[in-house]
Amino acid sequence: RKEGDTDIYFVSNQETKPVTTECSFRVEGKVPELWHPDTGQRETLALYTTKNGVTTLPLALDLSGSVFVVFRKNDTPAPHLASLQVNGVNPFAGAADSGVGIPVFSKNGIAFTSTKPGTFQATKSDGVVVQGDIAALPAPIAINGSWQVECPPISNKGETLRTTFEKLGSWSDSTEEWIKYYSGTATYRTTFTLPPGYLSANRTLTLDLGGVKNIAEVALNGKPLGILWKEPFRADITEALVEGKNE
């Protein structure tokens, strides 16, 4: 779709697994942006090349993921990355998940994420070469404690229904009759402890809920983290986390 000087493409993952790859578009002289329909977030892409009227850029799509790639004119674009190598290879050349996030412009310059340690080398569009180290991440924390579960009253005069799940699982497997056949919403609460050293500059921490049936509104320490409605059920919790006890 074309609107004035703006070109808009919709890209959707039709595979049965997450996909990371490079895509080419018949566009030149414009800066690519990523518009995420599931969150409403917009990002200006910081890694792309243009040659012979074609712009090539990396994309990473989760299972059932999609994104709008929007090209807009910018008379004074900032220098972007023309290439990026992590541990000596292009992390976006294959279809497998490399653990490297798509580079985008941030308030501090250009940023990308990596779940694996090592080194990176990037060449910018103005010829400047940037190198650096990627620190190893601490081990993931499993939230294995019990969960307090509340369900709204079944009738207007009823009381809030409460139970405790020592292990997460399907309601239909519960030994309690009222929840075994219950259909509706429920609120799950638990606490966990974040050890020292996890909160660090330039580090993003994520809550992974695993399999959810079918939608979850998430809050951490009273701070809303948004609504998760498709796989993977993950939320960025960096700004809400504190060392020690978290709820």
Side-chain angles (χ1 to χ4, degrees), residues 39 49 92 114 121 135 159 188 219 239:
T39 64
T49 59
F92 310 114
S114 177
Q121 177 174 306
E159 296 182 356
Y188 288 70
E239 299 300 323

Side-chain angles (χ1 to χ4, degrees), residues 112-195:
F112 70 92
T113 59
S114 177
T115 60
K116 299 177 181 179
T119 61
F120 74 88
Q121 177 174 306
T123 302
K124 301 178 72 174
S125 56
D126 57 5
V128 174
V129 177
V130 181
Q131 297 176 320
D133 296 323
I134 303 171
L137 295 176
I141 298 174
I143 302 176
N144 292 322
S146 61
W147 292 78
Q148 306 306 311
V149 181
E150 294 184 0
C151 299
I154 295 178
S155 66
N156 292 335
K157 297 181 180 180
E159 296 182 356
T160 299
L161 305 173
R162 295 181 175 87
T163 188
T164 299
F165 284 179
E166 298 298 335
K167 182 180 179 182
L168 295 176
S170 172
W171 293 349
S172 60
D173 295 332
S174 176
T175 57
E176 297 191 51
E177 289 294 309
W178 71 264
I179 200 168
K180 185 180 183 70
Y181 301 104
Y182 177 77
S183 177
T185 62
T187 300
Y188 288 70
R189 288 186 176 89
T190 194
T191 60
F192 65 93
T193 299
L194 183 72

Side-chain angles (χ1 to χ4, degrees), residues 19-147:
V19 171
T20 299
T21 189
E22 292 181 316
C23 297
S24 296
F25 303 85
R26 293 190 179 278
V27 180
E28 68 175 334
K30 298 179 181 180
V31 176
E33 300 176 6
L34 302 180
W35 293 13
H36 301 276
D38 53 341
T39 64
Q41 182 182 16
R42 298 183 183 184
E43 300 173 306
T44 302
L45 204 63
L47 173 61
Y48 59 93
T49 59
T50 301
K51 184 178 181 181
N52 298 329
V54 175
T55 297
T56 301
L57 51 86
L59 289 178
L61 297 174
D62 292 324
L63 182 66
S64 302
S66 58
V67 69
F68 290 95
V69 184
V70 180
F71 293 87
R72 296 202 286 186
K73 273 192 170 297
N74 188 330
D75 294 331
T76 57
H80 61 274
L81 301 185
S83 67
L84 173 67
Q85 288 198 332
V86 176
N87 295 329
V89 299
N90 178 355
F92 310 114
D97 182 10
S98 64
V100 178
I102 304 299
V104 297
F105 283 98
S106 70
K107 59 183 179 180
N108 296 321
I110 295 175
F112 70 92
T113 59
S114 177
T115 60
K116 299 177 181 179
T119 61
F120 74 88
Q121 177 174 306
T123 302
K124 301 178 72 174
S125 56
D126 57 5
V128 174
V129 177
V130 181
Q131 297 176 320
D133 296 323
I134 303 171
L137 295 176
I141 298 174
I143 302 176
N144 292 322
S146 61
W147 292 78

